[in-house]
Amino acid sequence: MKCSARTVALGAVAAVVTPLLAASPAQAETRNPVVFVHGLSSSASTWNTWIGKFKADGYDSSELYTWSYDWKQSNKTTASQLAAKVAQVRAATGAERVDIVTHSMGALSARWYVKFNGGTSYVDDFVSVAGVNHGTDLSAFCAFYTSCWEMVAGSSFLGTLNSGDETPGSVGYLALYSTCDALVNPDSSAKLNGATNVSVGCISHNDMNDHAGNYTKVRDFIA
């Protein structure tokens, strides 16, 4: 049977389009699972609003991981526990890397994990939301907890964490900071050298990881 020119052309188009359509599910599967790390005097529930937004935007529960830890302990201890959590997530999902989203003090333990516990090999994108990256004056009021003492500006913990490269490895770093954060003082403490530092205007500390605009920035960064 003879084929018309139109039939041949349609066949050629189908040959190109079909592989692209077939690749779409595979491409979706390459999205990194997200591990959320809460801060001082908090728990996994602090992420409920954003978890709901991620799900509304197409993420599955199997891609979103919150966890609670003893926030009074040293951030170094939490970093070791985070390393175990990331290993668990990778084993469960088969993912090579994860994205980490942190709030407040959670940025410190997560950064310690990335810098000193091998996290540069397993983290793709790292987000610090109102992170106490260079300390805060207010932590002196709760310095009887190890974690709070480590947040005092000039502490040996912060000196070690911030020595050399603050954003090591091939990880993508985003730091969101408020211009009126009453708990991170000074506001500039939330910035990270080498990161994409974004001022989000005047948003209270506890609203930083509950804010719709901040969510969009984080979602787009780790996409």
Side-chain angles (χ1 to χ4, degrees):
M1 184 186 336
K2 293 183 179 180
C3 297
S4 67
R6 181 179 179 184
T7 301
V8 172
L10 289 174
V13 170
V16 173
V17 172
T18 300
L20 293 177
L21 293 175
S24 295
Q27 290 169 352
E29 291 172 4
T30 62
R31 184 164 57 194
N32 297 321
V34 186
V35 178
F36 298 85
V37 186
H38 66 77
L40 183 77
S41 189
S42 189
S43 67
S45 63
T46 192
W47 299 108
N48 286 351
T49 297
W50 280 14
I51 292 296
K53 289 182 178 298
F54 271 106
K55 288 181 178 179
D57 284 337
Y59 277 73
D60 187 77
S61 295
S62 62
E63 299 175 290
L64 305 167
Y65 295 85
T66 59
W67 64 302
S68 296
Y69 61 88
D70 181 1
W71 53 265
K72 304 180 214 54
Q73 67 191 6
S74 170
N75 287 289
K76 296 179 186 179
T77 302
T78 304
S80 296
Q81 294 172 346
L82 176 58
K85 180 66 177 179
V86 170
Q88 179 187 42
V89 170
R90 292 178 59 243
T93 62
E96 293 185 7
R97 291 176 177 262
V98 303
D99 294 329
I100 292 182
V101 177
T102 71
H103 177 239
S104 192
M105 188 184 73
L108 300 184
S109 58
R111 286 181 57 211
W112 191 277
Y113 157 64
V114 172
K115 190 168 187 176
F116 299 115
N117 291 37
T120 52
S121 298
Y122 307 118
V123 177
D124 187 22
D125 290 317
F126 180 99
V127 179
S128 167
V129 179
V132 194
N133 290 308
H134 297 94
T136 175
D137 296 345
L138 295 178
S139 60
F141 292 105
C142 64
F144 42 85
Y145 293 128
T146 301
S147 58
C148 277
W149 178 251
E150 291 171 344
M151 288 194 294
V152 174
S155 71
S156 59
F157 173 86
L158 288 175
T160 301
L161 180 61
N162 292 322
S163 63
D165 192 355
E166 294 185 10
T167 51
S170 58
V171 181
Y173 291 87
L174 171 68
L176 303 184
Y177 66 96
S178 168
T179 58
C180 66
D181 194 325
L183 297 183
V184 179
N185 187 41
D187 297 332
S188 59
S189 176
K191 296 181 182 180
L192 276 174
N193 291 331
T196 299
N197 292 292
V198 179
S199 169
V200 297
C202 184
I203 302 174
S204 71
H205 184 78
N206 290 332
D207 287 339
M208 283 288 285
N209 68 326
D210 202 39
H211 189 272
N214 287 355
Y215 162 74
T216 300
K217 291 178 176 64
V218 172
R219 180 203 63 195
D220 292 349
F221 185 80
I222 68 175

